[in-house]
Amino acid sequence: EGLLAVRIARKAVTEKVESHLIDKAGDTAEIIDGRINTHFQFLEGIARIPVLYDSSYSYAQRVALLKSEAAQNASIRELDISDTRGTFYYDGGTVQVADRKWFQTALSGKNFISEPYIERANHTLVVTLAVPVYDANNRICGVLSADIPGLQLRENVKDIVIGKTGNCYILGATGNRIADSDREYVQWQFNAVEASETDPSYKSFAALEKTAMESEVPGVGYYTHENTYNIAAYAKTKLAG
């Protein structure tokens, strides 16, 4: 009877912890959504500046305005404007971006945010955001895009603590770690599933992340890494897929 009582009590405690962590994951995902949404609100505010949609202004004037706006915001690497044909205007010329996912997504009326990636021009880690630009008649007349430092998303999670020692991180659609309190995971573009193919110690970790990626509802799971048995909860964010 004593063993049975201990087993029942242990099961009850475990279920309570799991339930709490699942709720915490959902709440944390909403917090992260809110923090990322501030980036979009900033861009949407700039997109409403008449210079960007009024045809009486040249694209040279629009580029000059965006260069000035970017210089006043330390978290923005650059701001750029593209027309509906996919011509991207920058300080130095133009280039075609009609085939880029960020352009196509914003042109369809949806906000876009990329995973951190190494840009070709300067070989630095960046994140690209894009929002549609609407004219006075509420028609899409262009796309406003911004590059922010690749570690900027890390600022949204590094202060979130789970319990006493737990932390949180964000996985991108590829399974890459795109935000983590440990910057090296982001810089390495760490992917547990890929790591498990050459390092068996990541297998249970990778299995949990794969489940989290495929699940449409919050959940919880266990994994072993570096000789430690861990519990983790997960939830999908709603912004930009």
Side-chain angles (χ1 to χ4, degrees):
E1 287 178 353
L3 288 173
L4 183 60
V6 168
R7 188 172 299 170
I8 292 172
R10 181 179 295 161
K11 185 173 185 292
V13 170
T14 301
E15 288 175 351
K16 186 174 181 179
V17 169
E18 289 181 348
S19 177
H20 172 72
L21 276 178
I22 291 171
D23 289 343
K24 182 72 173 178
D27 292 343
T28 303
E30 290 185 6
I31 291 170
I32 290 169
D33 275 340
R35 292 180 176 183
I36 293 176
N37 197 43
T38 60
H39 297 298
F40 286 128
Q41 290 171 346
F42 172 74
L43 288 184
E44 288 165 354
I46 293 177
R48 287 191 289 270
I49 298 175
V51 175
L52 295 185
Y53 62 79
D54 189 331
S55 60
S56 65
Y57 291 93
S58 68
Y59 274 96
Q61 290 173 301
R62 300 177 194 192
V63 168
L65 168 73
L66 293 176
K67 187 174 181 180
S68 174
E69 290 285 344
Q72 297 176 46
N73 192 314
S75 65
I76 299 289
R77 288 276 178 87
E78 64 178 87
L79 288 166
D80 301 288
I81 187 77
S82 303
D83 63 24
T84 54
R85 298 184 301 276
T87 303
F88 176 95
Y89 297 84
Y90 65 99
D91 188 14
T94 63
V95 67
Q96 272 297 314
V97 295
D99 62 336
R100 306 289 174 83
K101 185 178 179 182
W102 60 262
F103 173 79
Q104 295 171 350
T105 302
L107 193 66
S108 73
K110 298 177 183 177
N111 291 342
F112 174 90
I113 182 169
S114 77
E115 297 188 14
Y117 67 97
I118 304 296
E119 64 165 344
R120 290 177 234 174
N122 300 311
H123 304 289
T124 56
L125 194 70
V126 299
V127 169
T128 295
L129 298 96
V131 299
V133 177
Y134 293 91
D135 64 17
N137 297 313
N138 206 36
R139 293 176 300 198
I140 294 176
C141 62
V143 169
L144 175 65
S145 57
D147 282 348
I148 65 175
L151 293 175
Q152 186 71 31
L153 295 181
R154 175 177 172 270
E155 300 299 314
N156 296 313
V157 302
K158 71 177 186 179
D159 65 331
I160 298 175
V161 180
I162 312 300
K164 290 184 177 180
T165 60
N167 67 338
C168 77
Y169 59 91
I170 308 175
L171 292 175
T174 60
N176 288 354
R177 195 81 62 91
I178 65 172
D180 194 292
S181 55
D182 186 341
R183 65 172 58 220
E184 291 186 341
Y185 279 115
V186 182
Q187 292 170 326
W188 296 337
Q189 296 179 296
F190 177 77
N191 186 304
V193 175
E194 292 177 358
S196 70
E197 294 174 0
T198 55
D199 187 343
S201 69
Y202 284 109
K203 284 202 176 295
S204 65
F205 193 20
L208 172 65
E209 289 196 354
K210 188 172 186 296
T211 299
M213 294 285 293
E214 294 171 351
S215 176
E216 293 301 323
V217 297
V220 68
Y222 296 85
Y223 67 94
T224 302
H225 184 60
E226 295 180 348
N227 299 317
T228 304
Y229 191 52
N230 301 278
I231 182 172
Y234 49 83
K236 287 277 177 73
T237 61
K238 295 181 176 65
L239 284 175

